[in-house]
Amino acid sequence: MNEKKVMDILQKVQSNTITLQEAYDLIKTNPYDDLGFAKIDNYRYITSNYPEVVFCQGKTTDQLVKIFKTLLKNNNSLLGTRIPKDVYDEIKSLIPELMYNETAQIIYKKNQTFKTSGNIAVITAGTADIPVAEEAAVSLEVMGAEVNRVYDVGVAGIHRLFDKLELINQSSVIIVVAGMEGALASVVGGLTPKPVIAVPTSIGYGANFNGLSALLSMLNSCANGVGVVNIDNGYGAAALAFSILRTISHG
Amino acid sequence: MNEKKVMDILQKVQSNTITLQEAYDLIKTNPYDDLGFAKIDNYRYITSNYPEVVFCQGKTTDQLVKIFKTLLKNNNSLLGTRIPKDVYDEIKSLIPELMYNETAQIIYKKNQTFKTSGNIAVITAGTADIPVAEEAAVSLEVMGAEVNRVYDVGVAGIHRLFDKLELINQSSVIIVVAGMEGALASVVGGLTPKPVIAVPTSIGYGANFNGLSALLSMLNSCANGVGVVNIDNGYGAAALAFSILRTISHG
Amino acid sequence: MNEKKVMDILQKVQSNTITLQEAYDLIKTNPYDDLGFAKIDNYRYITSNYPEVVFCQGKTTDQLVKIFKTLLKNNNSLLGTRIPKDVYDEIKSLIPELMYNETAQIIYKKNQTFKTSGNIAVITAGTADIPVAEEAAVSLEVMGAEVNRVYDVGVAGIHRLFDKLELINQSSVIIVVAGMEGALASVVGGLTPKPVIAVPTSIGYGANFNGLSALLSMLNSCANGVGVVNIDNGYGAAALAFSILRTISHG
Amino acid sequence: MNEKKVMDILQKVQSNTITLQEAYDLIKTNPYDDLGFAKIDNYRYITSNYPEVVFCQGKTTDQLVKIFKTLLKNNNSLLGTRIPKDVYDEIKSLIPELMYNETAQIIYKKNQTFKTSGNIAVITAGTADIPVAEEAAVSLEVMGAEVNRVYDVGVAGIHRLFDKLELINQSSVIIVVAGMEGALASVVGGLTPKPVIAVPTSIGYGANFNGLSALLSMLNSCANGVGVVNIDNGYGAAALAFSILRTISHG
Amino acid sequence: MNEKKVMDILQKVQSNTITLQEAYDLIKTNPYDDLGFAKIDNYRYITSNYPEVVFCQGKTTDQLVKIFKTLLKNNNSLLGTRIPKDVYDEIKSLIPELMYNETAQIIYKKNQTFKTSGNIAVITAGTADIPVAEEAAVSLEVMGAEVNRVYDVGVAGIHRLFDKLELINQSSVIIVVAGMEGALASVVGGLTPKPVIAVPTSIGYGANFNGLSALLSMLNSCANGVGVVNIDNGYGAAALAFSILRTISHG
Amino acid sequence: MNEKKVMDILQKVQSNTITLQEAYDLIKTNPYDDLGFAKIDNYRYITSNYPEVVFCQGKTTDQLVKIFKTLLKNNNSLLGTRIPKDVYDEIKSLIPELMYNETAQIIYKKNQTFKTSGNIAVITAGTADIPVAEEAAVSLEVMGAEVNRVYDVGVAGIHRLFDKLELINQSSVIIVVAGMEGALASVVGGLTPKPVIAVPTSIGYGANFNGLSALLSMLNSCANGVGVVNIDNGYGAAALAFSILRTISHG
Amino acid sequence: MNEKKVMDILQKVQSNTITLQEAYDLIKTNPYDDLGFAKIDNYRYITSNYPEVVFCQGKTTDQLVKIFKTLLKNNNSLLGTRIPKDVYDEIKSLIPELMYNETAQIIYKKNQTFKTSGNIAVITAGTADIPVAEEAAVSLEVMGAEVNRVYDVGVAGIHRLFDKLELINQSSVIIVVAGMEGALASVVGGLTPKPVIAVPTSIGYGANFNGLSALLSMLNSCANGVGVVNIDNGYGAAALAFSILRTISHG
Amino acid sequence: MNEKKVMDILQKVQSNTITLQEAYDLIKTNPYDDLGFAKIDNYRYITSNYPEVVFCQGKTTDQLVKIFKTLLKNNNSLLGTRIPKDVYDEIKSLIPELMYNETAQIIYKKNQTFKTSGNIAVITAGTADIPVAEEAAVSLEVMGAEVNRVYDVGVAGIHRLFDKLELINQSSVIIVVAGMEGALASVVGGLTPKPVIAVPTSIGYGANFNGLSALLSMLNSCANGVGVVNIDNGYGAAALAFSILRTISHG
């Protein structure tokens, strides 16, 4: 809903042409801006406490700039995933208020006021899984959640995990990021009563089949309380973890 | 840990041969009964508020009877999944206190005292998805959670879903059970800010490839806040939903 | 059939060496030009109301120029798909009458006179699906059909779709272009009695497996009246939609 | 919406408790009967000219009887697919008005008055593909369409197809049913300008992988105007073909 | 080589028709008995210290009886895998010296004299994996190796594994048998410097895809020193473990 | 073309209503009998020296009887594959001239007069591959070719193969039938300059994936001169081998 | 076997240190040159009438030069496949006698004297399949066979194929090269009694899965006498076709 | 455990603040250095006789340098796999003591003192498999084992293998590296009683599916005593082979 539409409605309120209720209904029935190539929700934050999120892969830089500008008119937080450094640089020159985390490949504007109770552990099996873990961790931080990072504690040296178990169990939700055989999700699931969100990564080679191995492992976990998101989908894990934190606060 | 072992320890306490602390440690260091073919946890309920759960598929009736008897010595609730009616009948004649739900294929003994706050919506796309949904719903009820069942509201007639949306949004967690193309998970995920646990079912034929279609759909959901469990894994969804409810209560 | 062959036949008619019927048969029995590496149909337009269509991927620029020149001798419309900008530039310098649409990656010459009755809605789930949608839309426009574009109305924010439903239902055929979980095809199929042509796209990542996820979703659609074409096959959807429009006119 | 509900509304109209408009709205807002395990649409026929269709696989006989009885209160035609002979026999003893086609595995009640213009060719590659073809053909006949059956004209003896080509081209839509390599769809697609709906079947063995071979062939067809439905989905092809016929009549 | 052939050769030695060397060569060049449908090695035991092994699946009972009788003429140990109880009963009535282990589905005659040094741990993740583990364990015992069985120590309750770790590390080779996500192989591999042979089982359902999940997990193990055999191939693991034991003794 | 049709044509010849040429054309344009569910070629033997071949799987016994009777009116040889013993027994009672080979699951009537030059080796890796090999061998014998059977010479005991190599190399074409890893095709291909037709079988389990393993092995053979047919397709190998033998005779 | 080895042997013959027979045996027992990274056969041409063939993909240029030089010492024909233009240029500067065909990506030295009887048709479905077809055709020509090229006759315009049918049927063996749905192999197989070698190509996109679609089509061909080689394996088809031609000449 | 932590502990020992036992426990409970992005084991060499191994793929050069420097503080041997030449060059400039093998893509520092008894044969089917074989061979040599290389002895020319058989059988363990159809593993497994470790490679194309073909072949090997590692996992084979050698020495 662009400015002109809103002003039209407000003028009708001022001139008593429509009632307050009618004005509210008009606004409610225009819940997105139509850019032609994209229809942008303006009200999602209010209903869901998310920043507006844009999956940037597959969109042109020109489209992204138009989408971000439109969103920033109505929102004070924003999160864009899968954005390479050079694309960010181009966007930054046009929308200076946007920040960037290169490991996570995330562009964002953070709303400083919102803060969840509880925190979330983000665990990786290896060092190479960190970019996916950072996509989750940075997303959560932009949303307003606190994150405990526990990296490189895979089952090949399981004593590294046990060392961190107390810290992990203090979190409300646990995100496990692992490639190769993805066994860490089952091991963590067996050691904690907390909800575990498993993120398979495409780290590996050969019969890993770009993450299929870890994905199937996690789906077949013999441990209780494990939910799985798409391969390399750090943001998806963050969104699910955040919806659990929010439910904890609001039931 | 069978009775004899416990009595030995307690006699030593009585006779002051060991201290209370030593007795506690002995008990703690024997956290399972070893039946040879199975090692049975006795303390899981205390640590995790689950009933003891047995995945019965692939075990002989003889093994199941021994496992159930051992568990019932130390627990007052128990949940066994994937158990056909004729196997239940045989077990029932030997362990009469066990109950059965045929649609869910679940054998159980319910602990009446435990009760979670909040409730869980269990939704199916079609009628044929109900057995998997009932595995989730009955598991949750045995664990002590309240369930809202909303069945046969798939996207081919989406007005049926909208009619139930208010009811669904009153739940703390939403379990979506769907086969064929599994689109219901994305649609529900787009309509609620609550955590959604998606259960793909093997309902369908042909290019469904025994549930692969719904599984991939759910993993690739464009909606936020969707976690996926294994195909037909109603119990797995229940366990994850329950761990979220428990976290809501205890942080 | 090149000019020389036709002239030979016509001279024989003129000199009464062959009858009109024989001449007709000769022409009919040479229904293509043989370039060695390609055999080019000259009569397809007459029998099917298509422009001549060339799938350009995998052909050298040199081959394409020869094919286009041959086609333009006998046809006044032409459609070439999957052609990158730099290849078009090279061809344009040799055959200036050819036009280009970069988003759709289509080279064409349009026959202004042909026009179908009815129109076709082309819908996308997301912004990244637009190139495939444009391959469909531009193909249809070159063929002579009218297109209604409705982009970025995926199920994660389903209210955007409902807003456009009336417009969609005014079309004779609906093309739904969607990647990731491809749920939009089922939702649209459930909301309209019109034929729906579903185009899975390779948009997504991980367990999307280059479009497999959307493809299986669409094949397993629980909605009635959904036919599926190959992943990213915008042109294929256009061709099927056009054959339906033509059948509407001619039975 | 069962009788009681409708009578309640009508009595309120009679007693002037509600206006006609309110009554209409009440009826409109109850567009399905809720049986708990199934939500049954009552108005689909009016909006879409389909008989009510039930996919029977995966439903219990008891559920089917309840669904059919509910449907027959509001509809004078009905179509149930994937129903074995013995299940039909049981249902028939309770709902005698239902008919059965064993080859097609279809239970139905036909509305004699509705009749489409145009007809549909149903073609098979082999004799073993006939059950799937009959699912399509009988479904179409119950819907009110006329069907031309052309069976066993696969490409191993392509002269059999050419013999029937004139008959095939007189149809408005062509359904091609083929297993093994599924080449017939491409060959037919290359010989006709009419819309072709391809149904891969699971007929074959080995590297057929239960129909995957024919499915991939049809999706990759080099011919124009071919849409594909799920493996063995005769009904799906009928539904799409019927929606095209209906569009021909009504635009 | 049947008796007649051997006697022919020996008679020629006796009658000085051939030299001893020639006789040896003749025997050496007939290293198998040709039954037409099977060619049976008679000398494998001497070269490899295996009992003769027959993979019985896919062979008729009649063929098996002929093969076993032929083998027993030249060998005093024999091992047949994948043999159901009823087939064994039939064979036993004809060849009474053969023994049977029903859990392992193995028919055998054991050579009491051969004994390897060292022993082999056979570990399972769950109770349902035991039949595959027994195929390995019984095969090893028939070959002459000592086995330590450690069953039901999967990662969902990893304390059960740690309890047995000392016992496991005393073995020369460790066979890990696991279905579902197969994580146990990696965990064991990370805890021991001994060679680990991983046997994926088909235990599980859904996205387990008949053992594919465990197979891929084990192939992608992040732990060192893990080799994998075919799904459910208990015998294969035994054969590899035995060849390692034998190499330990003989270099 | 049934008798009546032929008689009609001949009567017209007799009565000089049509010329001989016209009669010939009429016969030529009716090259098959149309049974509705099947279109039966009558002239294939003349053009290709095959017996008429029927793939019986998926056809009802009633359909088979009608097809066989029709074929036997015009042919003196016939071959039906994939026919179980009990179906044969039923057919035999109605068409006593048909013979059966149970291992090969083939029904046939053999034309004694036709005989190819050259012969064909049919080799199997194991005993369990014999049924597929017999489908090839018996098919070839019905067609009139001579077969050398060499069974159970797989690479696990490769000396068995070398023993038969001279015999194998005397054949004009070599059919290699192997399941599991299918390595025999490559080994034979490396040892002979003759054309090798590789038949993967579904013998095996686990990661064999119903023959996929042997199929991929054979397609990726590093040896020269290996062509592959479908999994378990013994007849297909026979047909290709026979077409090579026929080409040898006729160029 | 390099020159030095041969000379050593010959000198021993000259000096009567070894007999002629011993010399022959020495030569026979050194049938390859060992370059360390490659073991090169020197005698294959004599036994099989092939030129020495090198699959160049995956070998370094340095390795190729050493292999080619070694081969050219003992052979007067040579064939190297999968060699890019720039690699050829480098090799050509070192071994000037080698020729190149860029479309086929083949390096070769042709033996002018050998000539097979009979010829081979190489057919493609489309223009983009030509590089694979040329790999087959050029390989055959280097081997000494005559080739008839028939390109771009796919089933989308099947009249183009019928036009060439007489020419095709004059060949002894037919190679069909097709991507996408690969239907051409079945159509050709149904129209000819000659052996057909089907080469699936990776031409296509989406559900083509890099040639899987055409591969499965060809393996499931309903036509008789079709053998399949690996995706894009033009050389493999040539080698099989050549072995058939050779068998035709020599039995 | 960095220097500071160790010094803290030792100072406490010196000042008698903690006992020797406590100091030992502190050291034991810090068995790794925590770099944040990586947790580095310092004690693995002592328990397992491996050099510290780093899988470098997916790690940044900056991370690798930090990891290597940390490791070299506590170890005098190190092995890093999957490292390209340009990355090595950068690392070498910072850590000059590290060596490199380009074919194997391995960075290492070798401990000269450790030496295993026995040796290991590393065999390849083709020349293109050598890089994977060298990853195995160089890894073994860095670990302290002796390697016999036997390259390019694939089954297409099986006489090359037989020539080397005696050499191969003198090794304690045999590593077989093969792509394409991977048949060499079965052939070698059938010819030796030694443990065989099979490494499928991704060498090949088309239906090789990046090594799937060789992987499945090796998993389905009909030979005894074959264990499989991941596609292209030369290091994994080395680690397993080394653990067998070590077990030979220590039981």
Side-chain angles (χ1 to χ4, degrees), chain F residues 47-73:
Chain F
T47 55
S48 73
N49 275 341
Y50 282 141
E52 269 307 309
V53 181
V54 181
F55 178 69
C56 300
Q57 195 175 297
K59 296 192 177 73
T60 67
T61 304
D62 192 50
Q63 290 173 333
L64 289 174
V65 168
K66 284 180 190 154
I67 290 169
F68 291 156
K69 284 190 171 167
T70 306
L71 283 171
L72 289 170
K73 278 193 224 144

Side-chain angles (χ1 to χ4, degrees), chain G residues 149-167:
Chain G
R149 288 164 171 85
V150 182
Y151 290 168
D152 194 30
V153 293
V155 299
I158 208 167
H159 55 288
R160 301 173 300 183
L161 174 66
F162 287 119
D163 213 46
K164 301 288 183 186
L165 212 51
E166 204 178 316
L167 177 67

Side-chain angles (χ1 to χ4, degrees), chain C residues 121 123 150 161 164-171 174 188 194:
Chain C
I123 306 177
V150 182
L161 174 67
K164 300 289 184 185
L165 212 51
E166 204 178 315
L167 177 66
I168 291 169
N169 268 318
Q170 287 162 0
S171 303
I174 299 162
V188 170
K194 299 296 172 61

